[in-house]
Amino acid sequence: MKFSSILKAAVFGAVATTMATSAMAAETLTVYTAVEAEDLKKYKKAFEAENPDIKIKWVRDSTGIVTAKLLAEKENPKADVVWGLAATSLMLLKSEGMLEAYAPAGVDKLDKAFVDGDNPPSWTGMDAWVAAVCVNTVEQAKHGFATPTSWKDLTKPEYKGHVVMPNPNSSGTGFLDVSSWLQIFGEEGGWEFMDGLHENIAWYTHSGSKPCKQAASGETPIGVSFAFRGAKSKAKGAPIDIVVPSEGVGWDMEATAIVKGTKKLEAAQKLVDFTVTKQANEMYNKGYAVVAYPGVAKPVEHFPANLSDAMIDNDFEWAAVNRKDILAEWQKRYDSKSEAK
């Protein structure tokens, strides 16, 4: 063998060894999330580009299912980090002693409303998602009903069988709807409203975005969902109007936390550091008009202009503390119309 061939073989071997060593050295974080599946690739790519020694393994499902999974694994946690789960869910996990308090680098730059009040905080917010109603204008014309302008409109007989909304036991969007109605109308009035709404419900989905997707495709005339999904569907040409009910709308934050007991704490902290950066918030803003980092948010195409004014003064702590009882009552009253899982 010529010297040049020997040299090439040696170099190739050294490179291969280095690559194998790097691959072995890379740490994999198991990250539970309820973030829309289409956004996960860009989050993973951006983080791993800056942290090539850490890989993300996503475990994704709807908010209620992820929350239930985490609670079931309390004594033997499988997740290292939660990146993108309702703040009300993380408040519940915090009350169960399941989160590792950590102040990520740069947390002081975030809007304080998006940061857990403890020092160090147990969770940090990313963005806010806000309830809205998606109305398919083609189906509306076909059935001849008026555009609903309020939540109470949806209990009118003309909408019977035309409304779809998320099951709050599965969906964070469904839970923010139910908890917000109990705050807007009062406990007695809230359940009375939901009794009336149930009469008009065609089915309950196990996904917060699905009712709007179904309205966009014409499977249902009206989908109770959230504004981000409505804006995305409308941008793709769906014949929908995004309605902001006059009584006000519920909202919640997507938030991030480290799971207590992780054996990969240093890597988990690096990930959480990344989630509060300006770069990460600029990615959140691609779909959400309200993000945690002040000055980052730019208008999102087709987002209702008056949406921020309609966001209720949401009592997140009340919602978190009463979550279990609210969900049990809802299940007892309305689950008969839920889609099969």
Side-chain angles (χ1 to χ4, degrees):
M1 183 182 288
K2 292 181 180 179
F3 178 75
S4 60
S5 298
I6 295 172
L7 182 60
K8 284 179 183 177
V11 170
F12 178 80
V15 170
T17 301
T18 301
M19 289 175 66
T21 302
S22 296
M24 288 173 64
E27 199 155 26
T28 299
L29 288 174
T30 299
V31 182
Y32 283 15
T33 185
V35 168
E36 290 289 292
E38 61 216 64
D39 292 326
L40 296 180
K41 278 186 181 178
K42 67 181 181 183
Y43 293 171
K44 175 180 170 73
K45 183 179 178 181
F47 171 72
E48 290 181 358
E50 292 195 6
N51 299 272
D53 57 331
I54 304 172
K55 303 299 179 189
I56 291 175
K57 176 188 174 186
W58 296 115
V59 175
R60 188 206 172 273
D61 217 314
S62 57
T63 300
I65 293 171
V66 173
T67 305
K69 186 174 175 64
L70 285 160
L71 288 168
E73 295 171 356
K74 178 179 178 180
E75 301 305 324
N76 185 25
K78 302 290 194 298
D80 300 299
V81 176
V82 180
W83 183 5
L85 191 66
T88 45
S89 289
L90 290 180
M91 289 176 190
L92 174 61
L93 299 178
K94 177 185 173 182
S95 72
E96 294 287 328
M98 296 172 60
L99 302 182
E100 180 76 35
Y102 175 62
V107 69
D108 55 306
K109 295 178 182 177
L110 300 186
D111 182 331
K112 285 184 172 53
F114 282 82
V115 182
D116 175 35
D118 286 355
N119 187 19
S122 290
W123 55 266
T124 49
M126 301 159 51
D127 48 57
W129 86 95
V130 188
V133 179
C134 297
V135 180
N136 185 300
T137 55
V138 174
E139 291 299 308
Q140 177 188 9
K142 188 188 298 182
H143 293 287
F145 57 72
T147 301
T149 61
S150 68
W151 291 120
K152 288 199 171 179
D153 277 353
L154 295 180
T155 65
K156 292 179 178 178
E158 64 189 290
Y159 300 111
K160 189 173 181 66
H162 296 323
V163 184
V164 172
M165 74 161 278
N167 180 323
N169 280 284
S170 308
S171 160
T173 304
F175 181 69
L176 76 82
D177 285 327
V178 172
S179 63
S180 70
W181 293 332
L182 293 170
Q183 293 178 66
I184 291 169
F185 300 121
E187 186 168 352
E188 185 177 338
W191 291 115
E192 185 180 326
F193 163 73
M194 284 182 269
D195 285 344
L197 179 64
H198 182 68
E199 292 299 312
N200 290 347
I201 291 287
W203 58 81
Y204 297 102
T205 68
H206 295 292
S207 157
S209 59
K210 193 172 182 180
C212 194
K213 289 178 180 177
Q214 291 180 331
S217 66
E219 292 176 66
T220 180
I222 301 173
V224 177
S225 188
F226 54 99
F228 157 62
R229 175 43 60 189
K232 276 204 166 186
S233 296
K234 193 161 186 173
K236 291 178 180 177
I240 59 171
D241 284 337
I242 305 169
V243 175
V244 181
S246 58
E247 300 97 335
V249 288
W251 60 286
D252 204 337
M253 288 179 275
E254 287 188 312
T256 301
I258 297 172
V259 178
K260 197 167 191 176
T262 175
K263 295 179 174 63
K264 303 171 183 178
L265 183 58
E266 188 175 342
Q269 289 173 338
K270 286 183 180 179
L271 176 55
V272 175
D273 286 346
F274 178 81
T275 69
V276 305
T277 61
K278 186 176 182 181
Q279 177 190 356
N281 277 261
E282 286 170 345
M283 289 193 292
Y284 307 152
N285 185 223
K286 298 294 182 185
Y288 294 88
V290 182
V291 298
Y293 202 112
V296 164
K298 295 177 182 177
V300 174
E301 186 183 18
H302 300 303
F303 244 76
N306 61 336
L307 195 60
S308 59
D309 294 334
M311 291 165 64
I312 67 168
D313 185 12
N314 203 349
D315 190 337
F316 292 109
E317 187 174 348
W318 174 86
V321 168
N322 290 282
R323 179 187 176 88
K324 185 177 179 181
D325 291 340
I326 291 170
L327 292 177
E329 183 66 22
W330 189 95
Q331 184 91 353
K332 182 175 68 177
R333 288 174 180 249
Y334 314 123
D335 192 50
S336 60
K337 287 188 179 181
S338 291
E339 287 182 324
K341 289 185 181 178

